Amino acid sequence: MAGMANQAFGYTGNGRKRQGSDDIGGDGDMIVAKKGMGQGAAACWDDPAAALAAARHEFGEHGGVNMSIEASATFTVMEPETMRRMFAGELGPDRDFFIYSRHFNPTVLNLGRQMACLEGTEAAYCTASGMSAISSVLMQICSSGGHVVASQALYGGTHALLTHFLPRACNITTSFVDIRDHVAVREAIVEGRTKALYFEAMSNPTLTVADVPELSRIAHEKGVTVVVDNTFAPMVLSPARLGADVVVHSISKFISGGADIIAGAVCGPASLVNSMMDLHQGTLMLLGPTMNAKVAFELSERIPHLGLRMKEHCSRALTFATRLKKMGLKVIYPGLEDHPDHALLKSMANKNYGYGGLMCVDMETEERANRFMNHLQNYSQFGFMAVSLGYYETLMSCSGSSTSSEMSHEEQVLAGISPGLVRLSVGYIGTLEQRWSQLEKAISRMVQEGGMLLKN
């Protein structure tokens, strides 16, 4: 493995070429989430917001309260010998030596530190998209002939990656299972061949909640790496603290919150993240899903208020789900006590963040789903028909014909995706009662037109 990656993430951003390496752990690996934190910070690990607050603050070059943006693609050195030493792995970002921003960039590394704090992992590396984070991790963990066990309820793009691309391009195959069936998960693992167990902490779009501790135990018994997509539940769940090895994110969603940035992250052990930056065999290094430094700066300014935003997303989702259920609609939301995973989520969730900012209403047919969304957007102005999630406005889509359209009808049935399943990412703009009246208005019109029959 190339030496340059071994100490890559100890960067502290003090603006000087450091002669020491006091940010490097005793084994030479980066400890991105713990170094630079205040005394007693370890006690904050049970709350991701507290962990973020305890991380070292990155000041600007001239003392600004916000860090500077390092927009350079390439970096200069003072002596010719320095460049040779950097490529040989003797000098690296841990001592403020940078070569090229596809390798490492100071601004992007700082965002990686924040993501590692958020998820409670040793290291994190930020990428150009959530899909690049997922594909890079799986291709690093699995070689040709490798095998993945994955949940049958996954985002359509991830399902297509596992079903079509990886078998064709990499000779990596996947067995899909009901992630709630732990016996099936155990039986699907082929010892010596299965390299990864992959699932979403809260599934897209069915909102199935995975038992992260038990699934991690099953996988680890057989030497399998656990990779969890936590895009739907940042702050709410902390998979690495529950036993998972790697946590991936589409930062584009809740973490960004603005529906204006595409980005991803890999959070996990320093050894894995460093291997992904290896000069000769690292997927992040060689495939080049590089995050722009200006994007990293934007995101680093949004993470501090992620906790506040998530609490409001989740609070409103619970209120709307509760009221819609009382009206007689078929509502899927893990915060409802009759959801099959409610008790499990409650046992794993970080305190005071709620049960997630997404809910589903099953209209049973695509035609009724489309009429419902049309009324919500164009009649009552409740939200927007758009994919993605985590925006301050409510976003809604019929999953079967949009974000899960990569899956066949049979695969959608196995995943529990009804043709009329409307996924709503609940926003927080406006007052709650204002938004509720708009939601009620759309439902009333549907009832008047005969397109909806309330059970109560």
Side-chain angles (χ1 to χ4, degrees):
M1 193 169 97
M4 193 183 79
N6 289 344
Q7 300 177 351
F9 297 88
Y11 171 72
T12 60
N14 59 9
R16 295 185 297 273
K17 300 294 185 188
R18 296 172 3 127
Q19 299 305 310
S21 56
D22 48 286
D23 271 4
I24 304 171
D27 58 358
D29 282 334
M30 177 280 302
I31 308 297
V32 69
K34 297 182 180 178
K35 291 295 180 180
M37 298 174 66
Q39 188 174 7
C44 301
W45 282 108
D46 61 342
D47 188 323
L52 282 167
R56 185 186 71 255
H57 186 89
E58 193 81 10
F59 291 103
E61 182 179 0
H62 302 289
V65 294
N66 293 319
M67 69 175 174
S68 300
I69 303 174
E70 182 50 80
S72 295
T74 189
F75 299 83
T76 188
V77 296
M78 299 305 294
E79 303 292 339
E81 178 66 11
T82 302
M83 187 171 291
R84 183 202 64 77
R85 294 183 65 196
M86 286 194 291
F87 274 93
E90 298 172 14
L91 298 172
D94 58 293
R95 301 184 189 181
D96 284 358
F97 287 96
F98 294 87
I99 299 174
Y100 188 62
S101 278
R102 177 168 59 83
H103 303 172
F104 299 106
N105 175 282
T107 312
V108 180
L109 283 175
N110 184 68
L111 178 64
R113 268 204 308 272
Q114 289 177 298
M115 288 301 302
C117 285
L118 175 66
E119 287 297 347
T121 58
E122 276 189 321
Y125 194 89
C126 297
T127 64
S129 70
M131 283 304 302
S132 67
I134 294 167
S135 57
S136 295
V137 164
L138 292 176
M139 285 191 282
Q140 189 69 35
I141 293 172
C142 301
S143 302
S144 177
H147 179 247
V148 177
V149 174
S151 170
Q152 60 194 14
L154 291 175
Y155 164 58
T158 308
H159 195 277
L161 173 74
L162 293 168
T163 305
H164 304 293
F165 181 83
L166 289 182
R168 174 183 63 81
C170 307
N171 191 30
I172 296 170
T173 58
T174 298
S175 297
F176 293 96
V177 297
D178 180 351
I179 208 68
R180 291 172 171 165
D181 187 343
H182 296 165
V183 173
V185 172
R186 183 178 284 105
E187 291 178 347
I189 294 174
V190 181
E191 290 197 53
R193 182 164 169 254
T194 302
K195 302 301 180 183
L197 173 61
Y198 183 93
F199 56 89
E200 294 167 351
M202 192 177 291
S203 69
N204 181 5
T206 56
L207 305 183
T208 299
V209 180
D211 189 339
V212 181
E214 180 61 16
L215 290 166
S216 298
R217 186 186 66 79
I218 292 170
H220 292 158
E221 281 180 353
K222 300 197 175 187
V224 173
T225 301
V226 179
V227 183
V228 181
D229 185 336
N230 199 32
T231 298
F232 268 36
M235 310 297 289
V236 175
L237 290 169
S238 298
R241 296 184 178 102
L242 295 168
D245 300 299
V246 185
V247 182
V248 292
H249 274 280
S250 171
I251 300 181
S252 318
K253 311 305 192 293
F254 283 113
I255 294 173
S256 167
D260 59 342
I261 286 174
I262 300 296
V266 177
C267 309
S271 57
L272 172 66
V273 179
N274 284 333
S275 73
M276 296 175 73
M277 292 307 299
D278 183 80
L279 282 171
H280 303 290
Q281 299 197 51
T283 51
L284 289 173
M285 175 67 74
L286 299 175
L287 298 178
T290 307
M291 176 181 282
N292 186 285
K294 296 172 185 176
V295 168
F297 173 83
E298 287 277 348
L299 292 169
S300 71
E301 296 299 295
R302 301 179 190 189
I303 287 182
H305 48 72
L306 173 62
L308 298 175
R309 290 187 279 116
M310 286 305 301
K311 287 179 181 180
E312 192 61 20
H313 282 298
C314 296
S315 174
R316 293 199 180 193
L318 177 60
T319 299
F320 292 155
T322 302
R323 292 180 181 182
L324 289 175
K325 179 178 169 55
K326 287 181 179 179
M327 292 177 69
L329 276 74
K330 186 176 180 180
V331 182
I332 301 168
Y333 182 66
L336 297 175
E337 292 187 0
D338 65 347
H339 188 284
D341 302 326
H342 175 73
L344 171 63
L345 177 57
K346 194 171 183 179
S347 71
M348 297 190 301
N350 294 313
K351 294 180 180 178
N352 303 318
Y353 290 100
Y355 300 97
L358 288 109
M359 54 177 281
C360 294
V361 178
D362 191 352
M363 302 300 293
E364 297 181 343
T365 70
E366 184 179 348
E367 186 273 334
R368 279 201 294 268
N370 289 339
R371 287 176 62 191
F372 183 45
M373 292 189 297
N374 184 56
H375 288 327
L376 286 172
Q377 174 178 289
N378 299 320
Y379 173 63
S380 69
Q381 291 77 52
F382 174 74
F384 301 141
M385 285 182 280
V387 297
S388 199
L389 50 123
Y391 192 43
Y392 56 80
E393 291 274 10
T394 294
L395 302 181
M396 51 200 169
S397 58
C398 182
S399 296
S401 57
S402 59
T403 54
S404 296
S405 61
E406 295 94 335
M407 303 169 72
S408 69
H409 173 71
E410 292 74 17
E411 289 167 338
Q412 289 188 18
V413 170
L414 286 173
I417 302 172
S418 161
L421 190 70
V422 177
R423 188 190 76 183
L424 296 104
S425 171
V426 179
Y428 55 77
I429 193 170
T431 68
L432 186 149
E433 295 305 328
Q434 172 192 19
R435 291 310 198 189
W436 172 248
S437 68
Q438 293 170 318
L439 184 50
E440 277 189 311
K441 184 180 178 182
I443 293 171
S444 296
R445 171 163 280 202
M446 285 284 290
V447 172
Q448 291 169 7
E449 294 175 347
M452 180 182 292
L453 181 63
L454 300 180
K455 296 178 182 178
N456 293 344

